[in-house]
Amino acid sequence: MARTAALKPEQVPADSKPTLDGFTRNIGFTPNMMATFAQSPIAFNAWAALLGSLSKALDVKTRDSIGLAVSEVNGCNYCLTVHSFTAAHMAKMPAEDIILARKGHATDPKRDAALQFARKVIEARGQVGDADLQAVRDAGYTDANIMEIVALVAMYSLTNFFNNVFDPEKDFPAVAPAGSI
């Protein structure tokens, strides 16, 4: 059960409204997470700016896969529903690849290295070893790419924590619990 209500359109603070309206136009509806997050224009707009910038990082399959891996580690069911939906419908990932990404792996060797590294970053709270960095470099990622992976882990963790705290009503198709995949 939601711990705070999603805002109705007339309740959205003026400083959040342009950002929320933009998401609504692009997505076709207003996700409950965003209608809840919009209560704080400072936090919501900062997150939206980060999301916009990081949408240019790496490729869509890698970004969605990192979102799935991080959300699995952080136990964010809301984000797992969102990332499973976007991975299937926007990144055109098959169901098996979505499940694999939740486990921190991919069939593509380069993406697999990024996912393993992202999972290590979240599990170790950034305390990765030299071998972890070398493995992702050896897969073809530059230091700039590695910084983008870390930024994606942080951004996805932000929404994971937000959704775990406020538990907005889920408005994307449910996904199976990790134990059953």
Side-chain angles (χ1 to χ4, degrees):
M1 182 164 129
R3 294 181 176 168
T4 191
L7 298 176
K8 293 178 174 51
E10 65 275 7
Q11 297 172 312
V12 175
D15 288 345
S16 291
K17 191 159 180 36
T19 302
L20 188 60
D21 288 350
F23 279 118
T24 300
R25 274 192 306 280
N26 289 338
I27 298 170
F29 75 103
T30 304
N32 288 326
M33 181 212 87
M34 292 180 190
T36 302
F37 209 168
Q39 291 180 54
S40 169
I42 293 169
F44 180 61
N45 288 320
W47 166 78
L50 183 60
L51 176 67
S53 293
L54 290 176
S55 70
K56 299 170 190 107
L58 309 171
D59 63 275
V60 68
K61 287 183 180 181
T62 302
R63 287 192 312 269
D64 273 337
S65 294
I66 291 170
L68 286 159
V70 170
S71 298
E72 188 70 46
V73 170
N74 287 328
C76 182
N77 292 325
Y78 187 94
C79 291
L80 285 169
T81 68
V82 172
H83 293 298
S84 294
F85 182 86
T86 60
H89 294 89
M90 296 172 154
K92 306 294 185 201
M93 290 173 60
E96 324 59 79
D97 288 356
I98 293 169
I99 291 168
L100 202 54
R102 287 179 64 182
K103 296 177 179 181
H105 290 286
T107 55
D108 175 78
K110 185 173 182 179
R111 188 175 320 120
D112 188 61
L115 289 177
Q116 287 185 54
F117 182 74
R119 190 169 173 105
K120 177 70 96 173
V121 168
I122 191 64
E123 288 175 340
R125 296 184 192 100
Q127 299 293 324
V128 299
D130 292 343
D132 300 312
L133 273 171
Q134 194 57 51
V136 76
R137 285 177 177 142
D138 288 347
Y141 289 99
T142 65
D143 283 355
N145 297 143
I146 295 167
M147 291 172 195
E148 293 163 356
I149 293 168
V150 173
L152 286 163
V153 168
M155 182 192 65
Y156 291 131
S157 292
L158 171 62
T159 55
N160 292 166
F161 297 163
F162 175 85
N163 289 312
N164 284 342
V165 169
F166 293 105
D167 194 24
E169 184 179 333
K170 288 162 192 65
D171 42 11
F172 286 86
V175 295
S180 66
I181 58 174

